[in-house]
Each structure stands twice: as C-alpha cells, then as structure tokens.
Amino acid sequence: MAGRQTKVIVEVGSRRVFASALDWPGWCRAAKDEEGALASLAAYAPRYAVVAERAGVPFRPATTYDVVDRVDGDATTDFGAPGRVTAADAEPLSAAEARRQVALLRAAWAELDRLAVEAPEVLRKGPRGGGRDRDKIVAHVLGAEGAYARKVGVRHPEAGLGDSAAIAAAREDLAAVLEGARSGEPVVERGWPPRYALRRVAWHVLDHVWEIEDKSEA
C-alpha cells in the first residue's frame, strides 16, 4: 500500500480489542472492536505527543494504519491489558531504536512522577478504575512494574510511595536491560521479548497517567 503508515498490532478479545503502535511504546488504546480501537488510538495521538516531546523524540505519526500483526486475545485482553506477544514483538531492535523506545518509556515515568505530585490527591470518582485516588493508582503502577520487570530478569523489592531512590534504582535496571537487548528473543526463560516488554510497561504507565489526568478534571 502506498504512503507512509503507522505500524499497529491488533489484539482481538471477545469483549475488548487493543490497538498498539509497534514503534511507539505506550501508544495503545482499546475499544469493543478493531475500528473503535484504531479510532481511539488516533484520538490519543495528541496526548502521546506530550510524552514524545518530553522524551525529545520527534512524533509525526501517519494518520493511516498498517496492521502488521493481528492476534487472538485471551482472558488478559478481556480483563483490560494487551496480553499477547506477537510475531512483530520478536523483531530485533537496533541500538538507536532501543535507545529511542527506552527514552519514551522514561518520559512516561516522568509524566507519572509529575502527576504523583501535581494531581489532586482525591480524584473524581467514576467507573474507570473504580474509586481509586491518586496515591493508590501510583502504588498500583509501581507494584505491577515490579512483576513486569521480572519478565526481563530484573528483580527488586517493591518500592513504596515516596521511596524515590528505590523507584529510580528499579527503573534504571529495567531501562538498562531493555536498552541493551537486541535479538528480539526473550531476555530470560519464559520471559518477554524486549519490544513487548517496552510496549506493555509503557502502556500500563500511560494508561494510568491518562486516567489520573481525566479524573483530575472538574
């Protein structure tokens, strides 16, 4: 197909469909069907641009999409996370591309850290995320990240809220592994390929960054 397109992975569950931009970790949205997921991905491009700008990465995505991989989802998909590793996730990463994608992940972390201070402690209640307030959401992200990190061989005790040194150490080790990975193969046995780890970790951070932002609005 002629023209520049954004490469997308589509994960199709029975109740939820995720569209994830292959080369932009964290730019990932879900809806009830593929058309809705792609439309939501497009709608969130301006919000992702904020992350890319913080990372110092030019972000001029194509407005049309090339679905390079489409996989059946599972219970994780329907629960609300992009849980399937695809063939596209096994593509090798060059040194420059690994640095670029890790920079985007770091920018996602920086956005979460900013909101952990700037967002109201008590958030507007609603169906998305239940009734959790700011600190509980941030703690949830930190806890999940510890489990995700083990999928690439990084193990740290769970860092508590406000323990900036422990949080930074865990993130630095995770970033170092992901920046050093090249082959596309899982880093550890039964682990995640680097591309998938990058997009899964960044998705989880940004999904909750945007949740906090939405619930901070009057």
Side-chain angles (χ1 to χ4, degrees), residues 32-216:
K32 292 181 179 179
D33 55 28
E34 183 172 327
E35 182 180 2
L38 290 171
S40 183
L41 193 71
Y44 271 72
R47 299 180 81 165
Y48 192 82
V50 174
V51 180
E53 182 178 9
R54 180 182 277 274
V57 175
F59 181 65
R60 294 181 293 274
T63 56
T64 56
Y65 301 106
D66 176 17
V67 178
V68 296
D69 219 335
R70 184 180 285 103
V71 295
D72 291 335
D74 54 18
T76 300
T77 315
D78 287 330
F79 180 74
R84 293 296 307 276
V85 176
T86 74
D89 289 312
E91 294 180 8
L93 284 163
S94 68
E97 180 63 11
R99 286 194 299 270
R100 188 186 72 89
Q101 293 205 20
V102 169
L104 290 162
L105 173 58
R106 289 182 183 276
W109 282 331
E111 283 294 288
L112 181 68
D113 292 346
R114 175 183 66 81
L115 289 172
V117 175
E118 295 181 4
E121 184 177 352
V122 177
L123 301 177
R124 177 173 53 80
K125 300 301 183 286
R128 186 163 187 261
R132 289 183 298 194
D133 289 318
R134 182 198 66 195
D135 290 352
K136 285 188 178 293
I137 294 174
V138 174
H140 162 73
V141 174
L142 293 174
E145 210 156 84
Y148 293 165
R150 289 193 287 275
K151 291 292 188 177
V152 295
V154 174
R155 295 180 179 273
H156 277 262
E158 184 173 334
L161 281 176
D163 191 346
S164 57
I167 293 169
R171 288 174 175 173
E172 284 303 314
D173 282 355
L174 178 55
V177 169
L178 294 174
E179 195 168 314
R182 295 285 180 274
S183 71
E185 295 296 320
V187 178
V188 295
E189 187 177 357
R190 297 182 182 179
W192 288 344
R195 279 186 181 270
Y196 176 77
L198 278 158
R199 70 181 180 89
R200 177 69 179 269
V201 175
W203 159 78
H204 194 240
V205 175
L206 288 180
D207 191 54
H208 289 296
V209 162
W210 294 329
E211 177 189 0
I212 293 171
E213 288 178 342
D214 291 344
K215 288 184 172 181
S216 297

